[in-house]
Amino acid sequence: MLAGIRIHTRRLLSTICLLLFASYCSAQYEVSSGIDLSYPVLINGSNSKLNYGQISFGMQFGIAYKPEETQFFPILKFSFGRTRLPLQQFGHNVVALNFDYINVMVNENYIVRFRNSELFIYGGIGFSYLMQKGITIAGTGGETMQANIDSTANVDHIFPAMNVGFEYNYGESAGKDLYLTMGLNFQYILLLSGLNTYAITVDETHYVQQHYESSLTGNLISPGFYIAIHYLLRNHKKSSMYL
């Protein structure tokens, strides 16, 4: 009986080793890098002006686990760049804050294959880290005015984020190790009330000063467009135990 248990145990261990080795042989990783443009819009009750010079430019990098013939694959994406968010609207002008941002997102991709192209449909969660890099005034005559931050309260830097998007790979590069894609991404961040309060002074002229206490709160929606280069790191080790 003991001998039978040992035989079954050996078979079980051998099967597990074969499966693990097969997974190792078929494992592939893909790296990507690209540039992106986005147009962040902060929706709240304090600002009705949507255009305040907020076009953002950044770069992105990603690493994905992408086995052969897979329908789903996860990817870890890092992106960084410069963005602008509105803090206080007065008349035809907006006091805006400039930020350096770092986004970290974990996305799950679903591959839709066509005859000569591929479409990646993805969604995921992560966080955005905002580093405040100055204050500016956008709008009519903004270059003749000045704004200063007098004090801050409960300023947060890290915000939970989620995103969805589409990425398209067209032509001869579909299914190849090196290929170029174009994508649309929609990111959402909720800036909670009671945080990120700024007391600011605006010099409208040499003789007129306005004092405001404003909070960076609301629903931040950032539609974006990007172009990325992908390179598939194949495991070229072959084995007779490959499944």
Side-chain angles (χ1 to χ4, degrees), residues 5-232:
I5 293 175
R6 288 176 177 173
I7 291 174
H8 286 297
T9 302
R10 287 175 187 158
R11 288 177 179 174
L12 178 62
L13 291 175
S14 299
T15 302
I16 293 174
C17 289
L18 283 171
L19 291 174
L20 290 175
F21 191 73
S23 298
Y24 171 75
C25 288
S26 61
Q28 298 180 114
Y29 295 92
E30 183 178 274
V31 293
S32 63
S33 65
I35 58 174
D36 57 57
L37 294 172
S38 60
Y39 191 83
V41 177
L42 181 59
I43 301 172
N44 56 30
S46 302
N47 300 285
S48 61
K49 190 176 180 64
L50 294 181
N51 185 12
Y52 44 90
Q54 71 271 38
I55 293 178
S56 302
F57 175 81
M59 298 191 68
Q60 60 171 267
F61 301 92
I63 180 168
Y65 173 66
K66 195 176 182 183
E68 292 183 1
E69 302 301 326
T70 187
Q71 196 73 40
F72 295 89
F73 69 93
I75 182 170
L76 176 63
K77 276 192 173 183
F78 302 87
S79 59
F80 62 90
R82 176 65 65 92
T83 191
R84 176 179 291 181
L85 299 177
L87 181 61
Q88 177 67 47
Q89 182 177 338
F90 61 101
H92 299 288
N93 298 89
V94 175
V95 176
L97 296 176
N98 295 316
F99 290 93
D100 286 343
Y101 69 83
I102 298 175
N103 293 328
V104 179
M105 304 297 298
V106 179
N107 293 327
E108 182 68 21
N109 292 258
Y110 175 74
I111 304 176
V112 180
R113 292 185 174 89
F114 305 101
R115 183 176 180 180
N116 293 314
S117 60
E118 295 175 326
L119 178 67
F120 306 148
I121 304 173
Y122 63 84
I125 59 174
F127 67 88
S128 182
Y129 181 74
L130 299 178
M131 297 164 283
Q132 201 267 317
K133 291 296 180 179
I135 189 170
T136 188
I137 299 178
T140 306
E143 67 279 359
T144 65
M145 306 178 192
Q146 290 186 344
N148 299 289
I149 298 175
D150 299 325
S151 64
T152 61
N154 302 318
V155 173
D156 201 358
H157 297 285
I158 299 177
F159 305 92
M162 60 185 297
N163 73 164
V164 295
F166 307 90
E167 192 167 346
Y168 187 62
N169 174 21
Y170 173 77
E172 294 296 328
S173 65
K176 300 299 178 61
D177 292 352
L178 182 66
Y179 60 94
L180 182 71
T181 62
M182 297 180 293
L184 294 175
N185 181 70
F186 300 87
Q187 186 183 62
Y188 172 77
I189 299 174
L190 175 62
L191 304 180
L192 297 174
S193 60
L195 300 174
N196 303 295
T197 300
Y198 294 81
I200 58 175
T201 297
V202 177
D203 293 317
E204 296 190 35
T205 67
H206 293 293
Y207 305 102
V208 177
Q209 284 190 339
Q210 298 289 343
H211 299 277
Y212 302 96
E213 184 172 295
S214 306
S215 294
L216 194 67
T217 61
N219 299 282
L220 178 58
I221 302 172
S222 298
F225 169 79
Y226 61 89
I227 298 175
I229 297 175
H230 297 249
Y231 181 64
L232 188 62

